[in-house]
Amino acid sequence: MTNENPPKDHTAGPYERRPPSALERNLSSGATWLRLLFMLVVVLLWVVSRIVILAVVLLQFFHVLFTGEVNDKLKDLGEQLARYSYQIVAYLTYNTEHRPFPFDLDWPSTRTVAREDEGAP
């Protein structure tokens, strides 16, 4: 007669601790929950930035409509907002650990060097 059940280990007590699983370590990690808090705040900043981008788009359109020229200040703000959006998405998708403005990174600047090349023949 064969016994299908393996013998029980009587040396381990009922309250002996086993090593925590990866899920248990992650659930009890303060860093994971802190990142979630920052991610929620960053999502709110992203929503606000989308509204500001929409305002810049509309203002720039009407400025061009009425004057026939692009407003350089709005153009620069649009570029900065695009870079800020990239910082936010990179953080939210775990492509970087650097939190966007106003936490770890400075407000994005415009690329003045690239702008000088635009006018060259």
Side-chain angles (χ1 to χ4, degrees):
M1 201 157 109
T2 61
N3 187 356
E4 300 280 332
N5 297 330
K8 293 183 180 179
D9 182 11
H10 293 288
T11 60
Y15 299 108
E16 187 171 325
R17 296 188 135 214
R18 60 176 174 70
S21 68
L23 176 61
E24 289 170 332
R25 282 192 308 272
N26 293 339
L27 285 174
S28 63
S29 170
T32 301
W33 294 108
L34 183 61
R35 183 174 177 109
L36 175 65
L37 176 67
F38 276 109
M39 289 173 76
L40 293 173
V41 171
V42 167
V43 164
L44 289 174
L45 293 171
W46 193 33
V47 169
V48 170
S49 75
R50 302 287 96 192
I51 294 168
V52 175
I53 287 172
L54 179 61
V56 168
V57 167
L58 292 173
L59 288 171
Q60 187 71 283
F61 174 78
F62 285 114
H63 188 271
V64 170
L65 184 67
F66 292 121
T67 66
E69 296 178 359
V70 173
N71 183 312
D72 287 334
K73 290 184 180 185
L74 286 174
K75 186 176 178 181
D76 289 345
L77 179 58
E79 183 178 348
Q80 291 170 1
L81 287 166
R83 291 174 186 277
Y84 184 58
S85 294
Y86 174 78
Q87 289 177 359
I88 289 173
V89 172
Y91 179 72
L92 292 175
T93 58
Y94 284 80
N95 283 293
T96 183
E97 292 300 315
H98 299 290
R99 294 173 293 210
F101 177 84
F103 302 108
D104 294 338
L105 299 175
D106 292 333
W107 180 255
S109 63
T110 56
R111 289 187 186 169
T112 54
V113 174
R115 291 274 168 78
E116 293 171 0
D117 295 340
E118 287 178 2

